[in-house]
């Protein structure tokens, strides 16, 4: 039984020694490969290539951040321009409202001037009618006076016997009074007509002024409408360019995000590979230590067994 156990132990020892030798050889090969990869130009080239790619990606990331910063500045500038355009639109709108108010006031003044002109025309027609009536009354009075003078002349012819004694004082006084009344009526008519003509000229001037103000306000309103249309078009163009820049910036950000994710994945994969290599190396070291311990134990056992076997013989 002891010889069988020794034979089994010898077989196991041979297997363990072969395994240890194989693992040592593999460890040496791996160590040589690691040293060769560290010292070989291919490894350096791979490392330099990786560093160059990483540097290029970092430069691209810095360039993307710079472009993002410039895009943000352009966005802020566009926002300021949009705010300025909005303020100008509000100013134009206020000016337009003011022009509309002035236009409504000028229209009201024009309506008032038209009403005043109509009233003046009606007043002029009424005064003409009154003058015609006064003329008719004057003609009637004149005809009556002519008749009285004719009758008085007939009565004078009937009293030829005393032509010197009779003096037609009352008739002359009456005629003078009528002529003075007629002159006063004519003067009042002339003054009223001159006043009406002056007021009519003033109304015409006010009417022309109102028409000119209306035309100017309409021209100003048209200019403001044109400016408003241009500002609206400029605002639409700025909004389109801002949206396009936002889309471009978003696409570039997505591209850089994808590149960063790819780099992170590659970094994680490299870390996992390095961790696996280190774990394999640590496992090999543990296995080597355990095998060396087993070899030492078997060596002590063999030495003890050899001494035990040699003692009876001695």
């Amino acid at each position: 039984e002891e010889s069988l156990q020794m034979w089994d132990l010898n077989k196991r020892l041979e297997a363990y020694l072969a395994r240890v030798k194989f693992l040592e050889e593999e460890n040496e090969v791996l160590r040589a490969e690691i040293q060769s990869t560290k010292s070989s130009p291919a490894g350096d080239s791979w490392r330099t290539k990786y560093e160059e790619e990483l540097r290029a990606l970092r430069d691209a990331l810095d360039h993307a951040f710079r472009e993002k910063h410039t895009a943000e500045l352009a966005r802020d500038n566009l926002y300021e321009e949009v705010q300025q355009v909005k303020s100008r639109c509000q100013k134009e709108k206020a000016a337009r409202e003011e022009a509309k108010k002035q236009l409504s006031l000028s229209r009201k003044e024009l309506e008032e001037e038209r009403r005043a002109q109509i009233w003046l025309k009606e007043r002029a027609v009424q005064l003409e009618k009154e003058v015609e009536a006064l003329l008719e009354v004057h003609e009637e009075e004149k005809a009556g006076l002519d008749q009285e003078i004719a009758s008085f002349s007939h009565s004078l012819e009937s009293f030829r016997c005393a032509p010197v004694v009779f003096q037609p004082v009352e008739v002359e006084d009456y005629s003078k009074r009528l002529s003075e009344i007629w002159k006063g009526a004519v003067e009042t008519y002339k003054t009223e007509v001159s006043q009406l003509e002056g007021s009519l000229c003033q109304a015409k001037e006010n009417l022309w002024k109102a028409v000119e103000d209306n035309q100017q306000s309409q021209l100003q309103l048209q200019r403001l409408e044109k400016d408003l249309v241009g500002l609206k078009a400029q605002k639409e163009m700025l909004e389109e360019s801002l949206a396009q820049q936002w889309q471009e910036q978003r696409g570039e950000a997505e591209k850089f995000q994808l590149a960063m994710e790819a780099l992170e994945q590659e970094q994680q994969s490299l870390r996992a590979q390095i961790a696996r290599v280190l774990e394999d190396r640590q496992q090999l070291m543990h296995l080597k230590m355990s095998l060396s311990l087993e070899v030492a134990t078997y060596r002590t056992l063999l030495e003890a067994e050899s001494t035990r076997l040699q003692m009876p013989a001695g």
Side-chain angles (χ1 to χ4, degrees):
E1 290 178 0
E2 288 179 358
S3 63
L4 288 173
Q5 289 178 1
M6 289 297 296
W7 184 75
D8 190 10
L9 289 172
N10 288 324
K11 290 292 184 184
R12 288 178 64 187
L13 181 60
E14 287 177 359
Y16 279 117
L17 289 172
R19 180 66 177 168
V20 168
K21 187 176 180 181
F22 176 73
L23 289 173
E24 285 180 352
E25 289 176 356
E26 190 175 358
N27 194 6
E28 291 294 332
V29 170
L30 288 172
R31 189 180 291 111
E33 287 181 358
I34 290 168
Q35 292 295 329
S36 63
T37 53
K38 286 182 179 179
S39 61
S40 65
D44 294 334
S45 63
W46 179 78
R47 185 178 295 173
T48 53
K49 186 177 179 182
Y50 176 74
E51 288 178 355
E52 287 177 357
E53 289 181 356
L54 188 61
R55 193 180 299 110
L57 289 172
R58 285 176 180 174
D59 293 333
L61 188 61
D62 293 333
H63 184 66
F65 278 117
R66 292 193 192 94
E67 288 183 352
K68 183 180 179 183
H69 183 65
T70 54
E72 287 177 354
L73 290 174
R75 182 191 65 188
D76 295 333
N77 293 324
L78 288 173
Y79 182 74
E80 290 178 357
E81 289 180 0
V82 168
Q83 292 296 326
Q84 290 178 2
V85 169
K86 284 183 179 179
S87 63
R88 287 181 64 186
C89 288
Q90 289 178 358
K91 289 180 181 179
E92 295 293 336
K93 189 176 180 180
R96 187 175 179 182
E97 294 293 332
E98 188 67 24
K100 284 183 180 180
K101 288 181 182 179
Q102 291 180 0
L103 183 62
S104 62
L105 291 173
S106 61
R107 284 178 180 175
K108 288 180 181 179
E109 291 178 356
L110 183 62
E111 292 293 332
E112 290 178 357
E113 293 294 334
R114 286 178 181 175
R115 290 175 183 174
Q117 188 177 4
I118 291 168
W119 181 78
L120 289 173
K121 287 180 180 179
E122 291 178 355
R123 182 64 177 168
V125 171
Q126 187 178 1
L127 290 173
E128 286 178 357
K129 289 181 180 179
E130 289 178 358
V131 169
E132 288 178 358
L134 288 172
L135 288 172
E136 289 178 358
V137 171
H138 180 69
E139 291 293 333
E140 290 176 358
E141 289 179 353
K142 187 176 180 182
L145 287 173
D146 290 334
Q147 290 178 3
E148 288 180 358
I149 289 168
S151 62
F152 187 71
S153 62
H154 286 299
S155 63
L156 285 176
E157 287 178 358
S158 61
F159 291 101
R160 287 179 181 177
C161 60
V164 180
V165 179
F166 182 74
Q167 293 180 358
V169 180
E170 295 179 356
V171 175
E172 290 178 357
D173 293 335
Y174 189 67
S175 63
K176 286 179 181 179
R177 197 180 304 155
L178 287 174
S179 63
E180 289 176 356
I181 291 167
W182 170 249
K183 286 179 182 179
V186 170
E187 291 294 330
T188 54
Y189 174 71
K190 286 181 179 180
T191 54
E192 288 180 357
V193 168
S194 63
Q195 290 178 359
L196 289 172
E197 288 178 352
S199 61
L200 185 62
C201 292
Q202 187 69 29
K204 285 181 179 179
E205 289 179 356
N206 293 326
L207 182 62
W208 281 109
K209 287 181 180 179
V211 170
E212 288 178 356
D213 293 335
N214 191 7
Q215 290 178 357
Q216 290 179 0
S217 62
Q218 286 180 357
L219 291 173
Q220 187 177 2
L221 184 62
Q222 290 176 0
R223 288 197 298 271
L224 291 173
E225 287 178 353
K226 289 180 180 178
D227 294 335
L228 184 61
V229 171
L231 290 172
K232 284 182 179 179
Q234 188 177 3
K235 182 182 177 182
E236 290 177 356
M237 290 175 65
L238 289 172
E239 287 179 352
E240 289 178 357
S241 64
L242 184 62
Q244 188 175 1
Q245 287 183 1
W246 269 106
Q247 289 178 359
E248 291 177 356
Q249 186 179 1
R250 190 176 294 170
E252 291 178 357
E254 288 178 356
K255 289 180 181 178
F256 286 116
Q257 188 68 28
L258 291 173
M260 288 294 293
E261 288 178 356
L263 286 173
E264 287 179 355
Q265 289 178 1
E266 188 176 358
Q267 188 177 4
Q268 288 178 1
S269 65
L270 289 171
R271 286 179 179 175
Q273 289 178 4
I274 291 167
R276 284 197 297 272
V277 170
L278 291 173
E279 188 177 358
D280 292 336
R281 188 173 179 181
Q282 192 174 4
Q283 287 179 1
L284 288 172
M285 292 296 291
H286 284 296
L287 185 60
K288 183 179 178 181
M289 289 175 67
S290 63
L291 288 173
S292 62
L293 289 173
E294 286 182 0
V295 167
T297 54
Y298 282 118
R299 190 173 292 169
T300 55
L301 287 172
L302 286 172
E303 288 176 355
E305 186 66 24
S306 63
T307 54
R308 189 177 64 84
L309 291 173
Q310 289 175 2
M311 285 176 67

